[in-house]
Amino acid sequence: MEPYNPRPASFFDRYAYAIKAMVILFLMMILLIPTVMISNIIGERQNYHQEAISEVTSRWSGEQNVTGPVLAIPYVTPGTTGDTFAYLLPEQLSINGELMPQTLKRGIFPVAVYDSKLKLTGRFSTEPLSKLNIPASAFRWDRAVMLIGITDLRGIGNQVQLTWNGQQSLFNPGVMNNDLFESGIQTPVSLQPRDTGIATGNFVLDIGLKGSGRIKFSPVGKTTSISIRSSWPDPSFDEAFPPQTRSVSEKGFSATWQVQHLNRNYPQSWSGSKFNIRSADVGIRLFMPGGTYQQSSRAIKYAILIIGLTFFIFYFMELSQRRAIHPLQYMLVGLALCIFYTLLISISEQLNFALAYVISSGLTIGLITMYVAGAYKSGRIAAAIGGSLVLLYGFIYVIISAEDQALLMGSLGLFIILAVIMYFSRTIKWNKLSDKASIAE
């Protein structure tokens, strides 16, 4: 009887786990395709949201930018037939206002809009005109006009009335040219220099203005003070100047600005279209909390990390427990991880992002945990897989939430994960994986 000679291990037997690792890596690359498709879905939903905003604002009113008041004084230039305008800014400007916000919806998409009550007071002096080298006799004082730039005239909710040195006049729509702004309102003012050659005027006016999303003010006064209050709990101050003081709570906010003429890049008077007086605007955006699509977009960037680490957990289980996992099972788990993102997007459109993340990750982790428990008849393995996924999804959420510290926290987290992997993998006898008795405990 011939002695039994066991068949030498083939190449595939000897390197079965290495081949399996390459198959898993290939599956990870395949699963990046649906994540790209989901990323495109996020972009489409963002576009739908922008379309909803455009539709609501087309009926309500768009973002508003209040610029002025500015005095436009025509003067005659020798050798020309038409008038040229000199523009004069106020010595003092005070803007006090209140925003009454509300949220409108187009389908499932919310849009922040507001009504506002604004009171503008201040004082003009013609003294800065003396620096323009224009003879006083060239000015046509009787045709002076007060201008106020307003981005969307549909938002004006009252007949704006000017009180100028105790005399009242009504504003009319339109501006005489585009030197300062493209749309606005105007009214004539009585401006006659005294014996000193200087004319002054005090003004008061009230504007009821509707808008959406954002409101901005141009600090055209030599000294400008702005005070705005509202019941909106999530303002964003993202223009040229931050507020000097601010108070934000769940009941609303109040903010004040103090801007001097030295803080801006245009003088108190000039002629023609030399300067952009909206370059130093201050303003408020009615921030919609949650940042649903932005945070979802950030979350999907970590898809490769979630899929890769989850697959590693399963692969490590194969090595340590000698329980073979079919590539199709890897694919099913990977698809469950991809569906997490569609759940996250759809639920976050109805709820806030944090709650949507908890629900989506809970459903995904629960599905994978039950699948492992049913497939391998082991509550211990299923609990280990579920616990690992809870930690992983929690780690990803911390990175998403910490915008400023995301890189630092992500780097430290990955370093810790790598350290854990290296620690547990050190007990595996890689050179004996083909031997059934090789795994070290």
Side-chain angles (χ1 to χ4, degrees), residues 296-305 341:
S296 297
S297 180
R298 294 180 62 194
I300 203 168
K301 292 178 181 178
Y302 295 96
I304 186 64
L305 178 62
Y341 294 102

Side-chain angles (χ1 to χ4, degrees), residues 276-341:
N276 176 16
I277 62 174
R278 287 179 169 171
S279 61
D281 287 357
V282 303
I284 303 156
R285 181 165 63 97
L286 302 184
F287 180 71
M288 298 295 293
T292 297
Y293 300 112
Q294 182 181 6
Q295 290 180 294
S296 297
S297 180
R298 294 180 62 194
I300 203 168
K301 292 178 181 178
Y302 295 96
I304 186 64
L305 178 62
I306 291 180
I307 295 172
L309 290 178
T310 302
F311 279 10
F312 173 80
I313 293 172
F314 278 86
Y315 183 68
F316 191 83
M317 183 183 70
E318 282 195 67
L319 299 181
S320 61
Q321 301 295 323
R322 286 292 180 150
R323 292 175 179 265
I325 301 176
H326 196 275
L328 179 59
Q329 292 175 305
Y330 276 99
M331 181 61 73
L332 290 175
V333 171
L335 290 176
L337 296 174
C338 292
I339 292 176
F340 159 77
Y341 294 102

Side-chain angles (χ1 to χ4, degrees), residues 235-295:
S236 175
F237 308 104
D238 54 1
E239 295 302 323
F241 294 97
Q244 187 176 42
T245 64
R246 71 181 77 183
S247 174
V248 181
S249 68
E250 295 180 355
K251 296 182 180 180
F253 73 89
S254 62
T256 63
W257 290 261
Q258 293 287 336
V259 183
Q260 305 297 322
H261 72 291
L262 294 175
N263 303 135
R264 61 187 202 210
N265 196 29
Y266 49 86
Q268 281 296 106
S269 63
W270 69 91
S271 61
S273 56
K274 298 179 181 179
F275 300 98
N276 176 16
I277 62 174
R278 287 179 169 171
S279 61
D281 287 357
V282 303
I284 303 156
R285 181 165 63 97
L286 302 184
F287 180 71
M288 298 295 293
T292 297
Y293 300 112
Q294 182 181 6
Q295 290 180 294

Side-chain angles (χ1 to χ4, degrees), residues 102-116:
Q102 56 180 301
T103 301
L104 302 181
K105 279 196 171 184
R106 174 60 173 153
I108 64 172
F109 301 109
V111 181
V113 300
Y114 59 83
D115 277 298
S116 66

